Short mmCIF file of all heavy atoms in Angstrom, two decimals:
data_model
loop_
_atom_site.label_atom_id
_atom_site.label_comp_id
_atom_site.label_asym_id
_atom_site.label_seq_id
_atom_site.Cartn_x
_atom_site.Cartn_y
_atom_site.Cartn_z
N ALA V 18 -8.69 -13.65 6.54
CA ALA V 18 -7.87 -13.03 5.51
C ALA V 18 -8.57 -11.80 4.98
O ALA V 18 -9.79 -11.69 5.01
CB ALA V 18 -7.60 -14.01 4.39
N LYS V 19 -7.77 -10.90 4.46
CA LYS V 19 -8.31 -9.65 3.93
C LYS V 19 -7.63 -9.37 2.61
O LYS V 19 -6.42 -9.52 2.50
CB LYS V 19 -8.05 -8.57 4.96
CG LYS V 19 -8.12 -7.16 4.48
CD LYS V 19 -7.95 -6.23 5.65
CE LYS V 19 -6.76 -5.37 5.48
NZ LYS V 19 -6.64 -4.35 6.47
N LYS V 20 -8.39 -9.00 1.61
CA LYS V 20 -7.82 -8.68 0.31
C LYS V 20 -7.85 -7.17 0.14
O LYS V 20 -8.87 -6.54 0.38
CB LYS V 20 -8.64 -9.33 -0.80
CG LYS V 20 -7.96 -9.31 -2.14
CD LYS V 20 -8.83 -9.77 -3.27
CE LYS V 20 -9.51 -11.07 -3.08
NZ LYS V 20 -10.26 -11.51 -4.26
N SER V 21 -6.73 -6.58 -0.24
CA SER V 21 -6.70 -5.13 -0.38
C SER V 21 -7.45 -4.71 -1.64
O SER V 21 -7.58 -5.46 -2.59
CB SER V 21 -5.26 -4.64 -0.43
OG SER V 21 -4.67 -5.03 -1.65
N VAL V 22 -7.93 -3.49 -1.64
CA VAL V 22 -8.75 -2.98 -2.73
C VAL V 22 -7.89 -2.49 -3.88
O VAL V 22 -8.24 -2.66 -5.03
CB VAL V 22 -9.65 -1.83 -2.21
CG1 VAL V 22 -10.45 -1.24 -3.34
CG2 VAL V 22 -10.55 -2.34 -1.11
N ALA V 23 -6.75 -1.93 -3.57
CA ALA V 23 -5.92 -1.32 -4.61
C ALA V 23 -5.23 -2.38 -5.46
O ALA V 23 -4.72 -3.36 -4.95
CB ALA V 23 -4.88 -0.42 -3.97
N SER V 24 -5.24 -2.18 -6.75
CA SER V 24 -4.45 -3.04 -7.62
C SER V 24 -3.34 -2.20 -8.23
O SER V 24 -3.52 -1.02 -8.51
CB SER V 24 -5.31 -3.70 -8.70
OG SER V 24 -6.06 -2.73 -9.37
N LEU V 25 -2.20 -2.80 -8.37
CA LEU V 25 -1.02 -2.10 -8.85
C LEU V 25 -0.84 -2.37 -10.34
O LEU V 25 -0.99 -3.50 -10.78
CB LEU V 25 0.21 -2.59 -8.09
CG LEU V 25 0.07 -2.58 -6.56
CD1 LEU V 25 1.22 -3.35 -5.94
CD2 LEU V 25 0.04 -1.17 -6.05
N GLN V 26 -0.52 -1.35 -11.10
CA GLN V 26 -0.30 -1.52 -12.52
C GLN V 26 1.10 -1.06 -12.87
O GLN V 26 1.46 0.08 -12.59
CB GLN V 26 -1.33 -0.75 -13.32
CG GLN V 26 -2.74 -1.28 -13.14
CD GLN V 26 -3.73 -0.51 -13.98
OE1 GLN V 26 -3.37 0.43 -14.68
NE2 GLN V 26 -4.97 -0.93 -13.93
N THR V 27 1.88 -1.95 -13.44
CA THR V 27 3.22 -1.61 -13.88
C THR V 27 3.34 -2.00 -15.35
O THR V 27 3.39 -3.18 -15.68
CB THR V 27 4.30 -2.35 -13.06
OG1 THR V 27 4.06 -3.75 -13.18
CG2 THR V 27 4.25 -1.96 -11.60
N GLY V 28 3.36 -1.04 -16.20
CA GLY V 28 3.46 -1.31 -17.63
C GLY V 28 2.23 -2.07 -18.12
O GLY V 28 1.11 -1.61 -17.99
N SER V 29 2.45 -3.26 -18.66
CA SER V 29 1.33 -4.05 -19.18
C SER V 29 0.86 -5.10 -18.18
O SER V 29 -0.10 -5.80 -18.45
CB SER V 29 1.76 -4.74 -20.48
OG SER V 29 2.83 -5.62 -20.20
N LYS V 30 1.53 -5.25 -17.03
CA LYS V 30 1.14 -6.25 -16.05
C LYS V 30 0.22 -5.64 -15.00
O LYS V 30 0.43 -4.53 -14.54
CB LYS V 30 2.36 -6.81 -15.33
CG LYS V 30 3.17 -7.77 -16.13
CD LYS V 30 4.20 -8.40 -15.23
CE LYS V 30 4.95 -9.50 -15.95
NZ LYS V 30 5.89 -10.15 -15.07
N ARG V 31 -0.81 -6.40 -14.61
CA ARG V 31 -1.68 -6.01 -13.49
C ARG V 31 -1.26 -6.82 -12.29
O ARG V 31 -1.19 -8.04 -12.36
CB ARG V 31 -3.15 -6.29 -13.82
CG ARG V 31 -3.73 -5.28 -14.79
CD ARG V 31 -5.24 -5.41 -14.88
NE ARG V 31 -5.86 -5.28 -13.58
CZ ARG V 31 -6.77 -6.13 -13.08
NH1 ARG V 31 -7.12 -7.18 -13.77
NH2 ARG V 31 -7.30 -5.93 -11.90
N LEU V 32 -1.02 -6.17 -11.18
CA LEU V 32 -0.63 -6.84 -9.96
C LEU V 32 -1.56 -6.43 -8.83
O LEU V 32 -2.08 -5.33 -8.82
CB LEU V 32 0.82 -6.48 -9.59
CG LEU V 32 1.88 -6.87 -10.60
CD1 LEU V 32 3.23 -6.33 -10.18
CD2 LEU V 32 1.96 -8.37 -10.77
N THR V 33 -1.74 -7.33 -7.88
CA THR V 33 -2.59 -7.07 -6.73
C THR V 33 -1.81 -7.34 -5.46
O THR V 33 -1.05 -8.30 -5.39
CB THR V 33 -3.84 -7.98 -6.76
OG1 THR V 33 -4.52 -7.75 -7.98
CG2 THR V 33 -4.77 -7.69 -5.61
N LYS V 34 -2.00 -6.49 -4.46
CA LYS V 34 -1.36 -6.67 -3.17
C LYS V 34 -2.36 -7.32 -2.24
O LYS V 34 -3.42 -6.76 -1.98
CB LYS V 34 -0.90 -5.33 -2.61
CG LYS V 34 -0.20 -5.43 -1.28
CD LYS V 34 0.26 -4.06 -0.84
CE LYS V 34 1.01 -4.11 0.46
NZ LYS V 34 1.43 -2.79 0.88
N ALA V 35 -2.04 -8.51 -1.74
CA ALA V 35 -2.93 -9.24 -0.84
C ALA V 35 -2.32 -9.26 0.56
O ALA V 35 -1.11 -9.40 0.72
CB ALA V 35 -3.15 -10.65 -1.34
N ILE V 36 -3.18 -9.14 1.57
CA ILE V 36 -2.74 -9.12 2.96
C ILE V 36 -3.49 -10.22 3.71
O ILE V 36 -4.71 -10.30 3.62
CB ILE V 36 -3.03 -7.75 3.61
CG1 ILE V 36 -2.35 -6.65 2.81
CG2 ILE V 36 -2.58 -7.74 5.05
CD1 ILE V 36 -2.77 -5.26 3.20
N LYS V 37 -2.73 -11.06 4.41
CA LYS V 37 -3.33 -12.16 5.14
C LYS V 37 -2.93 -12.09 6.61
O LYS V 37 -1.79 -11.78 6.93
CB LYS V 37 -2.85 -13.48 4.52
CG LYS V 37 -3.40 -14.71 5.18
CD LYS V 37 -3.14 -16.03 4.44
CE LYS V 37 -1.83 -16.20 3.78
NZ LYS V 37 -1.64 -17.55 3.25
N MET V 38 -3.87 -12.37 7.50
CA MET V 38 -3.60 -12.38 8.93
C MET V 38 -3.29 -13.82 9.34
O MET V 38 -4.09 -14.72 9.09
CB MET V 38 -4.82 -11.87 9.69
CG MET V 38 -4.50 -11.20 10.97
SD MET V 38 -5.85 -10.22 11.62
CE MET V 38 -7.00 -11.44 12.11
N VAL V 39 -2.12 -14.05 9.97
CA VAL V 39 -1.68 -15.38 10.33
C VAL V 39 -1.44 -15.43 11.83
O VAL V 39 -0.79 -14.55 12.40
CB VAL V 39 -0.37 -15.75 9.58
CG1 VAL V 39 0.10 -17.13 9.97
CG2 VAL V 39 -0.57 -15.64 8.09
N LYS V 40 -1.96 -16.48 12.48
CA LYS V 40 -1.80 -16.64 13.92
C LYS V 40 -0.56 -17.48 14.20
O LYS V 40 -0.37 -18.54 13.63
CB LYS V 40 -3.02 -17.32 14.53
CG LYS V 40 -3.00 -17.38 16.03
CD LYS V 40 -4.31 -17.93 16.57
CE LYS V 40 -4.30 -17.88 18.07
NZ LYS V 40 -5.58 -18.35 18.62
N SER V 41 0.30 -16.98 15.09
CA SER V 41 1.52 -17.69 15.46
C SER V 41 1.18 -18.87 16.37
O SER V 41 0.46 -18.70 17.36
CB SER V 41 2.47 -16.74 16.19
OG SER V 41 3.56 -17.45 16.73
N PRO V 42 1.70 -20.07 16.07
CA PRO V 42 1.40 -21.22 16.92
C PRO V 42 2.06 -21.14 18.30
O PRO V 42 1.54 -21.69 19.27
CB PRO V 42 1.94 -22.41 16.13
CG PRO V 42 2.89 -21.85 15.16
CD PRO V 42 2.50 -20.43 14.92
N LYS V 43 3.18 -20.44 18.41
CA LYS V 43 3.90 -20.34 19.69
C LYS V 43 3.24 -19.35 20.64
O LYS V 43 2.93 -19.68 21.78
CB LYS V 43 5.35 -19.93 19.47
CG LYS V 43 6.23 -21.02 18.94
CD LYS V 43 7.66 -20.55 18.89
CE LYS V 43 8.58 -21.65 18.44
NZ LYS V 43 9.96 -21.22 18.39
N THR V 44 3.05 -18.11 20.18
CA THR V 44 2.59 -17.06 21.07
C THR V 44 1.09 -16.80 20.97
O THR V 44 0.51 -16.21 21.87
CB THR V 44 3.32 -15.74 20.77
OG1 THR V 44 3.00 -15.34 19.43
CG2 THR V 44 4.81 -15.89 20.92
N GLY V 45 0.46 -17.19 19.87
CA GLY V 45 -0.95 -16.92 19.68
C GLY V 45 -1.22 -15.52 19.15
O GLY V 45 -2.37 -15.14 18.97
N ALA V 46 -0.16 -14.75 18.90
CA ALA V 46 -0.32 -13.40 18.37
C ALA V 46 -0.55 -13.46 16.86
O ALA V 46 -0.12 -14.38 16.18
CB ALA V 46 0.92 -12.57 18.67
N TYR V 47 -1.26 -12.47 16.34
CA TYR V 47 -1.51 -12.39 14.91
C TYR V 47 -0.49 -11.49 14.24
O TYR V 47 -0.12 -10.44 14.77
CB TYR V 47 -2.92 -11.84 14.65
CG TYR V 47 -4.01 -12.85 14.94
CD1 TYR V 47 -4.66 -12.86 16.16
CD2 TYR V 47 -4.36 -13.79 13.98
CE1 TYR V 47 -5.65 -13.79 16.42
CE2 TYR V 47 -5.36 -14.71 14.23
CZ TYR V 47 -5.99 -14.71 15.45
OH TYR V 47 -6.98 -15.63 15.69
N THR V 48 -0.04 -11.89 13.06
CA THR V 48 0.86 -11.08 12.24
C THR V 48 0.24 -10.96 10.85
O THR V 48 -0.59 -11.78 10.46
CB THR V 48 2.26 -11.71 12.12
OG1 THR V 48 2.13 -13.00 11.54
CG2 THR V 48 2.92 -11.82 13.47
N PHE V 49 0.66 -9.95 10.12
CA PHE V 49 0.16 -9.73 8.78
C PHE V 49 1.25 -10.10 7.78
O PHE V 49 2.39 -9.70 7.91
CB PHE V 49 -0.25 -8.27 8.58
CG PHE V 49 -1.46 -7.91 9.39
CD1 PHE V 49 -1.32 -7.29 10.61
CD2 PHE V 49 -2.73 -8.18 8.92
CE1 PHE V 49 -2.43 -6.95 11.36
CE2 PHE V 49 -3.85 -7.84 9.65
CZ PHE V 49 -3.69 -7.23 10.88
N VAL V 50 0.86 -10.89 6.76
CA VAL V 50 1.76 -11.30 5.69
C VAL V 50 1.26 -10.64 4.41
O VAL V 50 0.09 -10.79 4.06
CB VAL V 50 1.78 -12.83 5.55
CG1 VAL V 50 2.69 -13.25 4.42
CG2 VAL V 50 2.19 -13.48 6.85
N GLU V 51 2.14 -9.91 3.74
CA GLU V 51 1.76 -9.21 2.51
C GLU V 51 2.48 -9.84 1.33
O GLU V 51 3.61 -10.30 1.45
CB GLU V 51 2.15 -7.74 2.60
CG GLU V 51 1.46 -6.99 3.70
CD GLU V 51 1.86 -5.53 3.74
OE1 GLU V 51 2.58 -5.07 2.83
OE2 GLU V 51 1.46 -4.85 4.70
N SER V 52 1.81 -9.84 0.18
CA SER V 52 2.41 -10.36 -1.03
C SER V 52 1.81 -9.63 -2.23
O SER V 52 0.63 -9.28 -2.22
CB SER V 52 2.14 -11.86 -1.14
OG SER V 52 2.74 -12.38 -2.29
N ILE V 53 2.63 -9.43 -3.25
CA ILE V 53 2.17 -8.80 -4.49
C ILE V 53 2.20 -9.87 -5.58
O ILE V 53 3.22 -10.52 -5.79
CB ILE V 53 3.07 -7.61 -4.87
CG1 ILE V 53 2.97 -6.54 -3.79
CG2 ILE V 53 2.68 -7.05 -6.23
CD1 ILE V 53 3.88 -5.37 -4.00
N MET V 54 1.05 -10.08 -6.23
CA MET V 54 0.92 -11.15 -7.22
C MET V 54 -0.12 -10.80 -8.26
O MET V 54 -0.75 -9.75 -8.16
CB MET V 54 0.54 -12.45 -6.51
CG MET V 54 -0.82 -12.37 -5.85
SD MET V 54 -1.14 -13.66 -4.71
CE MET V 54 -0.24 -13.07 -3.31
N THR V 55 -0.31 -11.69 -9.22
CA THR V 55 -1.34 -11.48 -10.23
C THR V 55 -2.71 -11.71 -9.61
O THR V 55 -2.83 -12.48 -8.64
CB THR V 55 -1.15 -12.44 -11.42
OG1 THR V 55 -1.26 -13.77 -10.94
CG2 THR V 55 0.18 -12.22 -12.11
N PRO V 56 -3.75 -11.07 -10.12
CA PRO V 56 -5.09 -11.24 -9.53
C PRO V 56 -5.59 -12.68 -9.55
O PRO V 56 -6.36 -13.08 -8.69
CB PRO V 56 -5.98 -10.35 -10.41
CG PRO V 56 -5.06 -9.36 -11.01
CD PRO V 56 -3.74 -10.05 -11.17
N GLU V 57 -5.16 -13.49 -10.51
CA GLU V 57 -5.60 -14.88 -10.61
C GLU V 57 -5.06 -15.74 -9.47
O GLU V 57 -5.67 -16.72 -9.07
CB GLU V 57 -5.18 -15.50 -11.94
CG GLU V 57 -5.83 -14.88 -13.15
CD GLU V 57 -5.15 -13.59 -13.60
OE1 GLU V 57 -3.95 -13.39 -13.31
OE2 GLU V 57 -5.83 -12.76 -14.23
N ALA V 58 -3.91 -15.38 -8.91
CA ALA V 58 -3.26 -16.20 -7.88
C ALA V 58 -3.68 -15.83 -6.46
O ALA V 58 -3.31 -16.52 -5.52
CB ALA V 58 -1.75 -16.06 -8.02
N VAL V 59 -4.48 -14.79 -6.30
CA VAL V 59 -4.82 -14.30 -4.95
C VAL V 59 -5.63 -15.32 -4.17
O VAL V 59 -5.33 -15.62 -3.02
CB VAL V 59 -5.57 -12.95 -5.04
CG1 VAL V 59 -6.10 -12.54 -3.69
CG2 VAL V 59 -4.65 -11.88 -5.58
N ASN V 60 -6.67 -15.90 -4.77
CA ASN V 60 -7.52 -16.83 -4.04
C ASN V 60 -6.77 -18.08 -3.61
O ASN V 60 -6.98 -18.60 -2.52
CB ASN V 60 -8.75 -17.22 -4.88
CG ASN V 60 -9.73 -16.08 -4.98
OD1 ASN V 60 -9.81 -15.25 -4.09
ND2 ASN V 60 -10.47 -16.02 -6.06
#
């Protein structure tokens, strides 16, 4: 997994964009899953 460095700020909320590499069970190929959340929920 990889955590992005940039944190997003919208008004009074701090948000972080996290990127995770996930391996497909069928093909074995890796895909990237992105999500924007609070910094506390990233781990």
Side-chain angles (χ1 to χ4, degrees):
K19 161 175 119 172
K20 193 188 309 184
S21 70
V22 177
S24 52
L25 309 169
Q26 294 182 358
T27 57
S29 62
K30 285 189 174 183
R31 285 191 56 230
L32 299 174
T33 302
K34 181 178 182 181
I36 303 169
K37 180 170 38 173
M38 209 164 70
V39 179
K40 187 174 184 177
S41 171
K43 285 186 177 180
T44 63
Y47 286 96
T48 59
F49 292 97
V50 179
E51 298 180 7
S52 181
I53 297 176
M54 64 194 79
T55 61
E57 294 82 24
V59 172
N60 288 331

